[in-house]
Amino acid sequence: MAAHEPATLDSVAARAGVSRQTVSNVLRHPARVAEATRERVLAAIRESGYRPSLPARQLATRRAHAIAVRAERQQDGISGLVLDAFYHGLAEAGQDNGLRVVLYAQPADEAAELEIIDDLVQTGAADAVVLTATSADDQRPAYLSGSGTTFCAFGRPWGHDDEPHDWVDVDGARGTGLAVQHLLDLGRRSIAYLGWPGDGAEPSTGSDRRRGWLETVEAAGLGAPVEARSLNDAAAAEAAVASLLSGADAPDAIVCASDTLALGAHRAAVAAAGGGTPATVVGFDATPVAAALGLVSVAQPIDQAAHLCIDLLTGRFETPDRPARGVLVPPVLHLPA
């Protein structure tokens, strides 16, 4: 094919060594194609620069080929990096599956958000939704299930196991358990926890992370667990840990529910040490801030989670009535270079 000629289905098929129909299936019905073949076709599409006609695909499939997701308000420049990575992963996975990602602004409340979702789906602007920031009092999954809207949640159905739907989440308890085990391997024997207000009161991301710390500490027989609470703010975390370290039985290590908390905890630990060896701090999210401070942090496989969300949605497009599926992704401990 000459360099100036646009790529076509036929040229992509020739490059990938498959039929024209196989290329079409990869674009329209990816679940029908074996993974190895699908990856070969996607590589040929990227290499050739092929761009399918969106209006033609919409007419043929009666779908928008678009996924909607809420753009969260910026609350914390550190923790916000996690969602940025998630959005990028969704866009990348969507592109590989012929899907666009449509962002909608975070509204004032759930009712307003559900109106936005209804409008996007009913007007044909989006085929499905990816929910974020799920919680125990989240009414969005039940509403979307009842309205027949295709969706996947990045986050478990906290406390709503009787309302099954597709979801992907990171195993936070496993992550903090890894953090405690790392500290035990370093010889730490008084391992405190710095979490968020309300952790443990009801099922939530924070409660899950706290559970992993608590179970691992108790299994190690380290005595009465010590913990503190703080808003997800570095200054507030610093104050909370300063108080924790001021007592006679100050811990020699602290596991934190986020890297934002770890930043404040690290500051307080350094100040309390007065030039000596500070308490060891482990964060959660493996952000560049933790790396810059030389802190160990739990890394969430965000890109993998985003790709799994797209996989669940494309599978749902293919088989609308299949049973709901939840995927719990294991995190890893990120050690500073």
Side-chain angles (χ1 to χ4, degrees):
M1 183 182 69
H4 65 277
E5 293 179 358
T8 64
L9 277 179
D10 290 327
S11 64
V12 170
R15 180 187 286 265
V18 299
S19 69
R20 189 178 191 277
Q21 185 59 49
T22 297
V23 177
S24 180
N25 283 339
V26 168
L27 292 171
R28 297 180 181 178
H29 310 288
R32 296 180 182 176
V33 184
E35 182 178 0
T37 303
R38 186 169 67 244
E39 290 301 321
R40 191 164 74 251
V41 171
L42 290 173
I45 288 172
R46 288 191 293 268
E47 292 165 3
S48 66
Y50 175 68
R51 293 292 182 269
S53 167
L54 182 59
R57 291 176 63 213
Q58 290 173 331
L59 285 172
T61 61
R62 296 185 179 180
R63 286 178 36 212
H65 297 275
I67 306 297
V69 63
R70 183 176 77 187
E72 305 280 345
R73 289 194 186 93
Q74 187 74 4
Q75 296 180 347
D76 181 334
I78 299 174
S79 298
L81 295 172
V82 176
L83 272 178
D84 287 347
F86 182 69
Y87 296 147
H88 183 273
L90 278 183
E92 183 178 66
Q95 182 173 298
D96 285 346
N97 286 275
L99 299 169
R100 294 172 296 123
V101 173
V102 177
L103 294 177
Y104 61 90
Q106 181 177 1
D109 52 42
E110 281 188 359
E113 180 177 0
L114 291 172
E115 287 183 9
I116 292 172
I117 293 173
D118 281 344
D119 182 67
L120 287 169
V121 173
Q122 292 170 12
T123 60
D127 303 308
V129 183
V130 175
L131 298 179
T132 57
T134 58
S135 65
D137 58 357
D138 196 337
Q139 300 302 309
R140 297 172 301 169
Y143 176 87
L144 295 177
S145 294
S147 66
T149 300
T150 301
F151 74 99
C152 178
F154 178 37
R156 271 165 276 183
W158 303 108
H160 296 277
D161 293 335
D162 57 337
E163 300 172 2
H165 59 262
D166 292 335
W167 58 266
V168 177
D169 201 6
V170 176
D171 191 344
R174 179 178 175 86
T176 49
L178 288 172
V180 172
Q181 188 57 57
H182 169 73
L183 292 167
L184 290 171
D185 292 343
L186 292 179
R188 306 299 183 266
R189 288 298 178 266
S190 178
I191 304 171
Y193 183 74
L194 179 62
W196 298 309
D199 287 356
E202 60 183 17
S204 67
T205 298
S207 296
D208 190 50
R209 295 179 185 181
R210 176 182 179 273
R211 177 172 62 84
W213 159 79
L214 183 61
E215 289 179 352
T216 312
V217 164
E218 289 180 339
L222 300 186
V226 177
E227 59 185 308
R229 298 282 196 278
S230 170
L231 296 174
N232 203 49
D233 173 83
E238 185 174 359
V241 173
S243 176
L244 195 67
L245 294 174
S246 64
D249 298 322
D252 57 10
I254 305 167
V255 174
C256 300
S258 73
D259 279 354
T260 299
L261 296 183
L263 171 59
H266 176 71
R267 289 174 178 168
V270 171
T277 302
T280 305
V281 174
V282 177
F284 203 111
D285 287 333
T287 63
V289 172
L293 293 173
L295 299 181
V296 173
S297 186
V298 178
Q300 300 194 64
I302 294 297
D303 188 68
Q304 181 185 359
H307 279 69
L308 285 168
C309 284
I310 294 296
D311 286 346
L312 289 176
L313 288 175
T314 55
R316 181 66 63 186
F317 293 150
E318 292 294 315
T319 313
D321 296 327
R322 68 162 172 75
R325 182 185 173 201
V327 183
L328 198 58
V329 185
V332 297
L333 207 60
H334 185 268
L335 305 177

